[in-house]
Structure formats: structure tokens, C-alpha cells
Amino acid sequence: MAKMSGSARGLETRKKRTISICLEEDCCVQENDELKSGKEEMGGEREENEERLKMKDYQSLQLRFFDILRREAAEKVIADSSNSHDETEEPELLSLCLGRSPRDPKKETRIGNTAKHKESEDLEACLTLGLDSNCELSMEMVSDQSPGETKEADIEGTWQSNKSVKAKNGEDHEISEQIPAKKSRVSVRARCDTPTMSDGCQWRKYGQKIAKGNPCPRAYYRCTVAPACPVRKQVQRCAEDMSILITTYEGTHNHPLPVSATAMASTTSAAASMLLSGSSTSQPVDNSFASFTNAPRLLNGQNLGPFDLSRSKEVFFPNRDSPLFPTITLDLTSGSSSSTHVNNLLPSSFALNPRFPPTSLSFCSKEPNIQQAVWGNGVLNNERTHMRSVELGTQFQQQLHQNCLQNQAPPSQEALAETLTRAISTDPRLRSVIAAAVSSIVGQGSTNVNQARGGEILELGLNLKLGEHSQFASSNLLAQNGKGCLPGYFNRLSSNSYTGNFMPLQPPVPFSVSKRKVPPTISDQINH
DNA sequence: CGCCTTTGACCTGCGC
DNA sequence: GCGCAGGTCAAAGGCG
């Protein structure tokens, strides 16, 4: 379309230019000739463009059609194989379905077992929704970002309030007006002894509920760093494993973040950016599984290969628990049954309910040494640890894991550095994630950064994917100021042997401890 | 005194 | 329409 209007505009300009030249030269005959030839040219190009558009439409529709067929077939296979495990694996399913409701076994069962007769219907709906939502998302990203508005093309996951937020006061009303229909959530699973994960932000508890299917109450927190900050989080212990804390973030901070909070914000932001960048463009362009097809491939036409993070990503379609939220889950628990193997990024729930796989990014490793090296002690209790989850990315972890499987030994610093370098140089997604994380840190002084983060990250991602600014992302951004906090692993690398593109960066300020509830001793212990 | 948590009531959406 | 469940509100009370 843009092509057509562009060429038409070009022709018009040319025509105008021709006309003016002829007027100047008082050359009426020539003008007529030019006009005629211009018209002919225009007509020809219009036909060409129409033809091209038709072909494009046809090809796109054809691809979608084949894709639906493929998906149907694949899902039948998956459903068949999973049906036999439904009953025995249900508890596991519950612990795995982070994007979905672990509290609603009825629903799980319904989806897993009895909804089979509705499968084709649901599939259709799902696909339809997928296309719709994708469009919606892209639109949100591209066009809804008007300047000065706090419209969050929400990378971090935006506060969803279209359900039950009442416009009780002007503030709320204002917020609810800004909120787009579809938001993303970032859910973080982590082993944590403390009541909440310290993420650097100030939170105020505003409610608590016992959710169905989980004896542990779910606590609702609101960000209190700024009075009108729409960010909320839900904290709940996992029913199956009380040591696992599930923290779900919604919303984008509309205020500068404390340094100690940027890590978590970056993490959720980057994770959601991957989710949204993937879901925003799901039209298949090659023969791969449609649900695994997403942005990078579309952006540059390349397949990201076997480590593509997008393999584990999927728009999370409405369900009872999160009616409109695409949800991304960062699984940072060690030894969680869901995805202890980094090569198996697809959550097992995917097998049970292939239509609604939650987005799950597993940052777990079977190898305790790696876990130790990469994730500290495997407990996500501070933002430094958490930050790593996004910094390193899946590809890196997979390479790391592979290295370890091959070597049967903990990786050396050099090996880690090499792996990291390779991962960063070969995985545009990882670069974009890192860039996204850094960008949120670098720009923390400006509220606009938060507001426009979505677009920024997408843009960055695009640039990176196109390979134009990888240097910018991997070195400039990281070195842009000394305040950046790419901690942990990067620090170790830079302080020891690594002399690559990365500047040594200071670790973030030790995470702030919740004023009352979190015993400082625990936090300090973890920090140390 | 201000900030925070607790907790029961209320609102809303959804399924039956 | 009713009941259920998730989410939110706001009064009451605690703590530093």
C-alpha cells in the first residue's frame, strides 16, 4: 500500500515538475505529451502495484492457510500424546502453567480433557484471535505512541484495568483512559524465602486474596514510588512448592526508577519486549511452525535457528485468569519440573494445551555449577541475580549448557566469556534484550523513557536485527555511562579476563530492602 | 503523624 | 439471573 502511494506520489511530483517546467518554457505541446506519458506511466505502475498487492495478499493468505493446517495436524499429535498423561501430570501442569491459572484446575482439566470436541472451534478462534491481537499489538506499538501521552506500548507489561478499575477519582480515570485494551504481564517464578522479591521498588500492599486452588494467599501490591504509578504486582507462593514465589508484574512505571529498581524493570521490560515483539508479528513467512514464527524472522527474513527464544514464546490468549493479557513467564527456579532443561524451552503445559501455551522463558539449568556460576545460588532474591536472567538470554544459556554437557565440567571464565561473546554476536535477540535492559537503565532519568520504552525496544530490536547498530547496542549502549548496571556475569567478565566490547559496569546499588517486612539479614546474606 | 498492613465489603466479568 | 472468583477499595489498627 505504502509502495503504491509512494510511487503514485512520485509520479505526481514528477508530473507537477514537468508541468512547471513546461509553463516556464511556455511549451504547451510538450506539456501535453508529458502529461500523456505520465498518465500512461502512472496507469502502468498502478496495475503493476495492484498485481503485486494481489499476489502478496494471496501469498499471505496461502501461508496462513497452510500454517493452520500444519498447526492443526501438529496439535492433534500433541494432544493425542498428552491425553494419556493428563491425569497423572496434572499437578505438574499446575506448577508449570505460570502464564495461566495454576489455581483453576477445573479449567485446566476442561482444556486438557473435555474440550476436545471444541478443538477445531477453539483452534479457529485462537487463530483468529491471534491474528487480531497481533494486529492490535502492532498498531499499539506503532501508532498509539503519541508524544506526551503516557500510552504505554507496554513492553514491561501494562497495568490492565479495563476489567475492574473504577474511575473513582480523576487519577484513576486518567489512567484508565490511557490503557490500551491489551496488556502484557510478566510473571517471574523464583525460589525465594522472603515474603516478596525485593526488586528495588517501593510497594504498598492493597489487598490479599485466597485464590482458588492455592492455599497461599495472593497479595496485591501497588508501586508507591510515584503516586500515580500504574504498576502493580501480584505475589503468590506456588501451591506445589512453597519455596517458589510467583511475582506477576503489570504496568509500566511512569516515573524515574530508583537505580536498584531498574534491574527488575529491565528484566520484565525485556522479557515482555520479547513477548510482544514476537506476538506482534506472527504471520508465517516460512515453513516453520506458525506459533514459533515471529518478529525477527519477519524483520529480516532470517530464521534465528535452533536457539531461537521465540520457540518458547506465544501470545497468551485470553482465559479466565488473565482475560486479555499476553503473559510471559520467567522461570528462574532451579530444578523446576517445568523446564529444568534449557534445551526444552517449551513448557510441558504446551503439550497439554497447545493452543494456549504460556510464554515461558526458562533460565534454569540442570547443571548446579552452571547455576551457581550464572545465577548465583539459584535464588532470585535480588535484582542482580534477576538481571542476569535477561542479560544472558536463552541462547547463551543453551550454549553454556551444551558446553558443560560436552565438557562435564564447570565453565571457566574464558569459556564463559567466549560463549557469551558468541551468543551476543550470533543472537540478535539477545543483543536486543541486552540493549533493552540497558536502555531502560541509561534513560532512567527521563520519564519519557519509560513511556516510550516499548517503541524504543522494538526499534532497537529492529535495528539490531537488521544488523545496523549492533555495535551501538553491544558497546555504545553499554558504555554510554558508568551508571549502567549490567551486573554479575558481565562484571565478572570485564573484571577478569574479558576484554571485548563490554565496559566494566558497576553493579547496581544493593537492592533495597522492604522497609519492614523483609528481614535485612536474609537480604544481606543473599547479597553477600 | 505518616506510612503500611490487614481484612471485610464491594465491584466486575464470566460460566452455568 | 445467580453464583463464583478475581481484583480493588477503604476503614481500622499497628509500627517507627
mmCIF file of all heavy atoms in Angstrom, chain A residues 180-219:
data_model
loop_
_atom_site.group_PDB
_atom_site.id
_atom_site.type_symbol
_atom_site.label_atom_id
_atom_site.label_comp_id
_atom_site.label_asym_id
_atom_site.label_seq_id
_atom_site.Cartn_x
_atom_site.Cartn_y
_atom_site.Cartn_z
ATOM 1 N N PRO A 180 -4.437 0.731 26.965
ATOM 2 C CA PRO A 180 -4.900 0.038 25.786
ATOM 3 C C PRO A 180 -5.616 -1.243 26.175
ATOM 4 O O PRO A 180 -5.525 -1.701 27.306
ATOM 5 C CB PRO A 180 -3.618 -0.277 25.023
ATOM 6 C CG PRO A 180 -2.535 -0.231 26.031
ATOM 7 C CD PRO A 180 -2.994 0.718 27.102
ATOM 8 N N ALA A 181 -6.304 -1.805 25.205
ATOM 9 C CA ALA A 181 -7.143 -2.945 25.520
ATOM 10 C C ALA A 181 -6.334 -4.174 25.887
ATOM 11 O O ALA A 181 -6.751 -4.977 26.678
ATOM 12 C CB ALA A 181 -8.032 -3.247 24.334
ATOM 13 N N LYS A 182 -5.179 -4.288 25.319
ATOM 14 C CA LYS A 182 -4.426 -5.492 25.539
ATOM 15 C C LYS A 182 -3.108 -5.198 26.218
ATOM 16 O O LYS A 182 -2.343 -4.365 25.778
ATOM 17 C CB LYS A 182 -4.174 -6.181 24.205
ATOM 18 C CG LYS A 182 -3.582 -7.531 24.394
ATOM 19 C CD LYS A 182 -3.501 -8.216 23.084
ATOM 20 C CE LYS A 182 -2.845 -9.567 23.325
ATOM 21 N NZ LYS A 182 -2.523 -10.223 22.122
ATOM 22 N N LYS A 183 -2.845 -5.901 27.310
ATOM 23 C CA LYS A 183 -1.644 -5.647 28.075
ATOM 24 C C LYS A 183 -0.880 -6.936 28.230
ATOM 25 O O LYS A 183 -1.410 -8.005 28.098
ATOM 26 C CB LYS A 183 -2.014 -5.132 29.458
ATOM 27 C CG LYS A 183 -2.969 -3.984 29.455
ATOM 28 C CD LYS A 183 -2.312 -2.814 28.824
ATOM 29 C CE LYS A 183 -3.333 -1.711 28.654
ATOM 30 N NZ LYS A 183 -2.784 -0.565 27.983
ATOM 31 N N SER A 184 0.348 -6.755 28.560
ATOM 32 C CA SER A 184 1.116 -7.946 28.827
ATOM 33 C C SER A 184 1.501 -7.987 30.286
ATOM 34 O O SER A 184 1.564 -6.976 30.958
ATOM 35 C CB SER A 184 2.354 -7.972 27.958
ATOM 36 O OG SER A 184 3.193 -6.902 28.305
ATOM 37 N N ARG A 185 1.729 -9.162 30.745
ATOM 38 C CA ARG A 185 2.164 -9.354 32.113
ATOM 39 C C ARG A 185 3.475 -10.092 32.086
ATOM 40 O O ARG A 185 3.722 -10.901 31.205
ATOM 41 C CB ARG A 185 1.151 -10.210 32.865
ATOM 42 C CG ARG A 185 -0.076 -9.493 33.312
ATOM 43 C CD ARG A 185 -0.973 -10.504 33.968
ATOM 44 N NE ARG A 185 -2.046 -9.865 34.699
ATOM 45 C CZ ARG A 185 -2.958 -10.531 35.378
ATOM 46 N NH1 ARG A 185 -2.927 -11.839 35.416
ATOM 47 N NH2 ARG A 185 -3.900 -9.897 36.010
ATOM 48 N N VAL A 186 4.243 -9.798 33.061
ATOM 49 C CA VAL A 186 5.474 -10.550 33.202
ATOM 50 C C VAL A 186 5.445 -11.248 34.543
ATOM 51 O O VAL A 186 5.322 -10.620 35.586
ATOM 52 C CB VAL A 186 6.710 -9.648 33.100
ATOM 53 C CG1 VAL A 186 7.961 -10.456 33.335
ATOM 54 C CG2 VAL A 186 6.755 -8.985 31.751
ATOM 55 N N SER A 187 5.504 -12.526 34.453
ATOM 56 C CA SER A 187 5.456 -13.315 35.665
ATOM 57 C C SER A 187 6.822 -13.917 35.931
ATOM 58 O O SER A 187 7.462 -14.465 35.045
ATOM 59 C CB SER A 187 4.406 -14.409 35.467
ATOM 60 O OG SER A 187 4.390 -15.267 36.563
ATOM 61 N N VAL A 188 7.255 -13.781 37.144
ATOM 62 C CA VAL A 188 8.577 -14.291 37.500
ATOM 63 C C VAL A 188 8.431 -15.370 38.554
ATOM 64 O O VAL A 188 7.851 -15.146 39.607
ATOM 65 C CB VAL A 188 9.470 -13.161 38.041
ATOM 66 C CG1 VAL A 188 10.824 -13.708 38.451
ATOM 67 C CG2 VAL A 188 9.627 -12.067 37.026
ATOM 68 N N ARG A 189 8.937 -16.491 38.240
ATOM 69 C CA ARG A 189 8.953 -17.599 39.197
ATOM 70 C C ARG A 189 10.339 -17.711 39.758
ATOM 71 O O ARG A 189 11.297 -17.834 39.005
ATOM 72 C CB ARG A 189 8.661 -18.904 38.464
ATOM 73 C CG ARG A 189 7.273 -19.401 38.532
ATOM 74 C CD ARG A 189 7.179 -20.616 37.654
ATOM 75 N NE ARG A 189 7.800 -21.778 38.277
ATOM 76 C CZ ARG A 189 7.103 -22.777 38.801
ATOM 77 N NH1 ARG A 189 5.799 -22.740 38.769
ATOM 78 N NH2 ARG A 189 7.693 -23.804 39.341
ATOM 79 N N ALA A 190 10.424 -17.702 41.036
ATOM 80 C CA ALA A 190 11.760 -17.820 41.607
ATOM 81 C C ALA A 190 11.676 -18.389 43.004
ATOM 82 O O ALA A 190 10.699 -18.186 43.713
ATOM 83 C CB ALA A 190 12.429 -16.457 41.631
ATOM 84 N N ARG A 191 12.702 -19.085 43.341
ATOM 85 C CA ARG A 191 12.772 -19.554 44.720
ATOM 86 C C ARG A 191 13.144 -18.384 45.606
ATOM 87 O O ARG A 191 14.085 -17.658 45.328
ATOM 88 C CB ARG A 191 13.814 -20.663 44.849
ATOM 89 C CG ARG A 191 13.404 -21.892 44.120
ATOM 90 C CD ARG A 191 14.251 -23.091 44.498
ATOM 91 N NE ARG A 191 13.881 -24.212 43.658
ATOM 92 C CZ ARG A 191 12.813 -24.965 43.866
ATOM 93 N NH1 ARG A 191 12.025 -24.715 44.902
ATOM 94 N NH2 ARG A 191 12.522 -25.952 43.053
ATOM 95 N N CYS A 192 12.387 -18.212 46.615
ATOM 96 C CA CYS A 192 12.593 -17.037 47.444
ATOM 97 C C CYS A 192 12.049 -17.292 48.841
ATOM 98 O O CYS A 192 10.919 -17.735 49.012
ATOM 99 C CB CYS A 192 11.878 -15.849 46.789
ATOM 100 S SG CYS A 192 12.106 -14.318 47.669
ATOM 101 N N ASP A 193 12.889 -17.031 49.815
ATOM 102 C CA ASP A 193 12.470 -17.274 51.190
ATOM 103 C C ASP A 193 11.669 -16.111 51.759
ATOM 104 O O ASP A 193 10.886 -16.268 52.680
ATOM 105 C CB ASP A 193 13.698 -17.515 52.075
ATOM 106 C CG ASP A 193 14.436 -18.753 51.631
ATOM 107 O OD1 ASP A 193 13.756 -19.668 51.116
ATOM 108 O OD2 ASP A 193 15.665 -18.814 51.780
ATOM 109 N N THR A 194 11.918 -14.956 51.221
ATOM 110 C CA THR A 194 11.265 -13.764 51.757
ATOM 111 C C THR A 194 9.827 -13.658 51.248
ATOM 112 O O THR A 194 9.491 -14.242 50.225
ATOM 113 C CB THR A 194 12.038 -12.506 51.349
ATOM 114 O OG1 THR A 194 12.186 -12.506 49.934
ATOM 115 C CG2 THR A 194 13.416 -12.501 51.994
ATOM 116 N N PRO A 195 9.004 -12.898 51.964
ATOM 117 C CA PRO A 195 7.600 -12.772 51.550
ATOM 118 C C PRO A 195 7.444 -12.214 50.150
ATOM 119 O O PRO A 195 6.508 -12.565 49.439
ATOM 120 C CB PRO A 195 7.008 -11.809 52.576
ATOM 121 C CG PRO A 195 7.935 -11.829 53.722
ATOM 122 C CD PRO A 195 9.289 -12.173 53.212
ATOM 123 N N THR A 196 8.305 -11.312 49.795
ATOM 124 C CA THR A 196 8.266 -10.789 48.427
ATOM 125 C C THR A 196 9.680 -10.728 47.889
ATOM 126 O O THR A 196 10.646 -10.730 48.641
ATOM 127 C CB THR A 196 7.689 -9.364 48.358
ATOM 128 O OG1 THR A 196 8.546 -8.505 49.104
ATOM 129 C CG2 THR A 196 6.283 -9.307 48.904
ATOM 130 N N MET A 197 9.744 -10.656 46.588
ATOM 131 C CA MET A 197 11.034 -10.474 45.949
ATOM 132 C C MET A 197 11.395 -8.998 46.024
ATOM 133 O O MET A 197 10.601 -8.148 45.640
ATOM 134 C CB MET A 197 10.928 -10.881 44.479
ATOM 135 C CG MET A 197 11.737 -12.075 44.129
ATOM 136 S SD MET A 197 11.196 -12.792 42.591
ATOM 137 C CE MET A 197 10.904 -11.376 41.594
ATOM 138 N N SER A 198 12.555 -8.711 46.510
ATOM 139 C CA SER A 198 12.948 -7.308 46.543
ATOM 140 C C SER A 198 13.399 -6.890 45.159
ATOM 141 O O SER A 198 14.365 -7.405 44.626
ATOM 142 C CB SER A 198 14.087 -7.130 47.525
ATOM 143 O OG SER A 198 13.653 -7.474 48.798
ATOM 144 N N ASP A 199 12.685 -5.959 44.598
ATOM 145 C CA ASP A 199 13.028 -5.548 43.241
ATOM 146 C C ASP A 199 13.417 -4.087 43.174
ATOM 147 O O ASP A 199 13.567 -3.519 42.114
ATOM 148 C CB ASP A 199 11.868 -5.824 42.289
ATOM 149 C CG ASP A 199 10.560 -5.339 42.849
ATOM 150 O OD1 ASP A 199 10.600 -4.403 43.686
ATOM 151 O OD2 ASP A 199 9.515 -5.868 42.480
ATOM 152 N N GLY A 200 13.589 -3.479 44.305
ATOM 153 C CA GLY A 200 14.082 -2.112 44.303
ATOM 154 C C GLY A 200 12.990 -1.063 44.352
ATOM 155 O O GLY A 200 13.240 0.073 44.710
ATOM 156 N N CYS A 201 11.809 -1.460 43.990
ATOM 157 C CA CYS A 201 10.709 -0.504 44.021
ATOM 158 C C CYS A 201 10.045 -0.513 45.399
ATOM 159 O O CYS A 201 10.187 -1.439 46.172
ATOM 160 C CB CYS A 201 9.672 -0.857 42.960
ATOM 161 S SG CYS A 201 9.915 0.024 41.435
ATOM 162 N N GLN A 202 9.312 0.561 45.611
ATOM 163 C CA GLN A 202 8.515 0.615 46.830
ATOM 164 C C GLN A 202 7.114 0.146 46.506
ATOM 165 O O GLN A 202 6.482 0.638 45.567
ATOM 166 C CB GLN A 202 8.465 2.032 47.363
ATOM 167 C CG GLN A 202 9.636 2.385 48.248
ATOM 168 C CD GLN A 202 9.402 3.710 48.901
ATOM 169 O OE1 GLN A 202 9.145 4.681 48.198
ATOM 170 N NE2 GLN A 202 9.474 3.760 50.210
ATOM 171 N N TRP A 203 6.622 -0.760 47.283
ATOM 172 C CA TRP A 203 5.298 -1.299 47.008
ATOM 173 C C TRP A 203 4.401 -1.151 48.228
ATOM 174 O O TRP A 203 4.853 -1.267 49.363
ATOM 175 C CB TRP A 203 5.399 -2.786 46.647
ATOM 176 C CG TRP A 203 6.244 -3.049 45.452
ATOM 177 C CD1 TRP A 203 7.575 -3.397 45.453
ATOM 178 C CD2 TRP A 203 5.855 -2.965 44.081
ATOM 179 N NE1 TRP A 203 8.010 -3.554 44.158
ATOM 180 C CE2 TRP A 203 6.981 -3.293 43.292
ATOM 181 C CE3 TRP A 203 4.657 -2.649 43.430
ATOM 182 C CZ2 TRP A 203 6.951 -3.317 41.900
ATOM 183 C CZ3 TRP A 203 4.624 -2.678 42.048
ATOM 184 C CH2 TRP A 203 5.752 -3.007 41.301
ATOM 185 N N ARG A 204 3.188 -0.934 47.947
ATOM 186 C CA ARG A 204 2.210 -0.886 49.017
ATOM 187 C C ARG A 204 1.178 -1.981 48.786
ATOM 188 O O ARG A 204 0.598 -2.107 47.713
ATOM 189 C CB ARG A 204 1.519 0.467 49.032
ATOM 190 C CG ARG A 204 0.477 0.556 50.108
ATOM 191 C CD ARG A 204 -0.343 1.813 49.940
ATOM 192 N NE ARG A 204 -1.466 1.765 50.858
ATOM 193 C CZ ARG A 204 -1.912 2.789 51.531
ATOM 194 N NH1 ARG A 204 -1.343 3.959 51.385
ATOM 195 N NH2 ARG A 204 -2.938 2.669 52.326
ATOM 196 N N LYS A 205 0.980 -2.737 49.811
ATOM 197 C CA LYS A 205 0.029 -3.824 49.686
ATOM 198 C C LYS A 205 -1.384 -3.256 49.767
ATOM 199 O O LYS A 205 -1.689 -2.464 50.655
ATOM 200 C CB LYS A 205 0.246 -4.819 50.822
ATOM 201 C CG LYS A 205 -0.449 -6.125 50.637
ATOM 202 C CD LYS A 205 -0.061 -7.052 51.786
ATOM 203 C CE LYS A 205 -0.722 -8.402 51.628
ATOM 204 N NZ LYS A 205 -0.344 -9.316 52.718
ATOM 205 N N TYR A 206 -2.199 -3.614 48.837
ATOM 206 C CA TYR A 206 -3.546 -3.059 48.875
ATOM 207 C C TYR A 206 -4.604 -4.141 48.923
ATOM 208 O O TYR A 206 -5.810 -3.852 48.943
ATOM 209 C CB TYR A 206 -3.797 -2.121 47.695
ATOM 210 C CG TYR A 206 -3.808 -2.799 46.346
ATOM 211 C CD1 TYR A 206 -4.969 -3.336 45.820
ATOM 212 C CD2 TYR A 206 -2.646 -2.891 45.613
ATOM 213 C CE1 TYR A 206 -4.979 -3.934 44.576
ATOM 214 C CE2 TYR A 206 -2.646 -3.501 44.376
ATOM 215 C CZ TYR A 206 -3.809 -4.021 43.861
ATOM 216 O OH TYR A 206 -3.812 -4.623 42.629
ATOM 217 N N GLY A 207 -4.179 -5.331 48.949
ATOM 218 C CA GLY A 207 -5.180 -6.374 49.036
ATOM 219 C C GLY A 207 -4.573 -7.753 49.140
ATOM 220 O O GLY A 207 -3.401 -7.945 48.861
ATOM 221 N N GLN A 208 -5.350 -8.652 49.565
ATOM 222 C CA GLN A 208 -4.901 -10.029 49.647
ATOM 223 C C GLN A 208 -6.094 -10.936 49.473
ATOM 224 O O GLN A 208 -7.178 -10.660 49.978
ATOM 225 C CB GLN A 208 -4.238 -10.269 50.994
ATOM 226 C CG GLN A 208 -3.694 -11.670 51.160
ATOM 227 C CD GLN A 208 -2.838 -11.790 52.394
ATOM 228 O OE1 GLN A 208 -1.915 -11.017 52.581
ATOM 229 N NE2 GLN A 208 -3.151 -12.751 53.251
ATOM 230 N N LYS A 209 -5.896 -11.967 48.754
ATOM 231 C CA LYS A 209 -6.999 -12.882 48.482
ATOM 232 C C LYS A 209 -6.496 -14.304 48.533
ATOM 233 O O LYS A 209 -5.374 -14.595 48.159
ATOM 234 C CB LYS A 209 -7.537 -12.635 47.066
ATOM 235 C CG LYS A 209 -8.659 -11.648 47.015
ATOM 236 C CD LYS A 209 -9.959 -12.367 47.271
ATOM 237 C CE LYS A 209 -11.118 -11.410 47.100
ATOM 238 N NZ LYS A 209 -12.298 -11.776 47.806
ATOM 239 N N ILE A 210 -7.347 -15.160 48.990
ATOM 240 C CA ILE A 210 -7.067 -16.576 48.828
ATOM 241 C C ILE A 210 -7.640 -16.970 47.476
ATOM 242 O O ILE A 210 -8.835 -16.876 47.248
ATOM 243 C CB ILE A 210 -7.749 -17.415 49.932
ATOM 244 C CG1 ILE A 210 -7.257 -16.966 51.307
ATOM 245 C CG2 ILE A 210 -7.499 -18.880 49.717
ATOM 246 C CD1 ILE A 210 -5.917 -17.471 51.706
ATOM 247 N N ALA A 211 -6.762 -17.347 46.634
ATOM 248 C CA ALA A 211 -7.226 -17.727 45.308
ATOM 249 C C ALA A 211 -7.577 -19.203 45.305
ATOM 250 O O ALA A 211 -7.034 -19.998 46.071
ATOM 251 C CB ALA A 211 -6.148 -17.437 44.279
ATOM 252 N N LYS A 212 -8.488 -19.525 44.460
ATOM 253 C CA LYS A 212 -8.945 -20.894 44.379
ATOM 254 C C LYS A 212 -7.807 -21.816 43.940
ATOM 255 O O LYS A 212 -7.062 -21.498 43.028
ATOM 256 C CB LYS A 212 -10.098 -20.981 43.371
ATOM 257 C CG LYS A 212 -10.930 -22.209 43.521
ATOM 258 C CD LYS A 212 -11.957 -22.263 42.420
ATOM 259 C CE LYS A 212 -12.607 -23.632 42.382
ATOM 260 N NZ LYS A 212 -13.420 -23.806 41.188
ATOM 261 N N GLY A 213 -7.713 -22.932 44.583
ATOM 262 C CA GLY A 213 -6.713 -23.896 44.171
ATOM 263 C C GLY A 213 -5.348 -23.677 44.759
ATOM 264 O O GLY A 213 -4.429 -24.440 44.505
ATOM 265 N N ASN A 214 -5.203 -22.630 45.512
ATOM 266 C CA ASN A 214 -3.917 -22.366 46.142
ATOM 267 C C ASN A 214 -4.154 -21.860 47.562
ATOM 268 O O ASN A 214 -4.743 -20.812 47.760
ATOM 269 C CB ASN A 214 -3.149 -21.325 45.328
ATOM 270 C CG ASN A 214 -1.702 -21.212 45.774
ATOM 271 O OD1 ASN A 214 -1.349 -21.629 46.882
ATOM 272 N ND2 ASN A 214 -0.871 -20.657 44.923
ATOM 273 N N PRO A 215 -3.736 -22.645 48.525
ATOM 274 C CA PRO A 215 -3.962 -22.246 49.918
ATOM 275 C C PRO A 215 -3.208 -20.979 50.285
ATOM 276 O O PRO A 215 -3.579 -20.294 51.233
ATOM 277 C CB PRO A 215 -3.432 -23.441 50.710
ATOM 278 C CG PRO A 215 -2.489 -24.133 49.785
ATOM 279 C CD PRO A 215 -3.009 -23.905 48.406
ATOM 280 N N CYS A 216 -2.178 -20.694 49.541
ATOM 281 C CA CYS A 216 -1.402 -19.487 49.844
ATOM 282 C C CYS A 216 -2.129 -18.268 49.303
ATOM 283 O O CYS A 216 -2.559 -18.242 48.148
ATOM 284 C CB CYS A 216 -0.023 -19.570 49.199
ATOM 285 S SG CYS A 216 0.842 -21.069 49.628
ATOM 286 N N PRO A 217 -2.245 -17.267 50.133
ATOM 287 C CA PRO A 217 -2.939 -16.060 49.679
ATOM 288 C C PRO A 217 -2.144 -15.332 48.596
ATOM 289 O O PRO A 217 -0.918 -15.389 48.568
ATOM 290 C CB PRO A 217 -3.031 -15.214 50.943
ATOM 291 C CG PRO A 217 -1.920 -15.687 51.804
ATOM 292 C CD PRO A 217 -1.728 -17.139 51.500
ATOM 293 N N ARG A 218 -2.865 -14.686 47.771
ATOM 294 C CA ARG A 218 -2.223 -13.856 46.753
ATOM 295 C C ARG A 218 -2.267 -12.412 47.238
ATOM 296 O O ARG A 218 -3.318 -11.898 47.615
ATOM 297 C CB ARG A 218 -2.960 -13.986 45.431
ATOM 298 C CG ARG A 218 -2.397 -13.094 44.346
ATOM 299 C CD ARG A 218 -3.265 -13.109 43.120
ATOM 300 N NE ARG A 218 -3.330 -14.439 42.500
ATOM 301 C CZ ARG A 218 -4.178 -14.769 41.539
ATOM 302 N NH1 ARG A 218 -5.042 -13.883 41.115
ATOM 303 N NH2 ARG A 218 -4.187 -15.985 41.040
ATOM 304 N N ALA A 219 -1.118 -11.804 47.225
ATOM 305 C CA ALA A 219 -1.061 -10.417 47.707
ATOM 306 C C ALA A 219 -0.982 -9.463 46.524
ATOM 307 O O ALA A 219 -0.331 -9.751 45.524
ATOM 308 C CB ALA A 219 0.152 -10.237 48.603
#
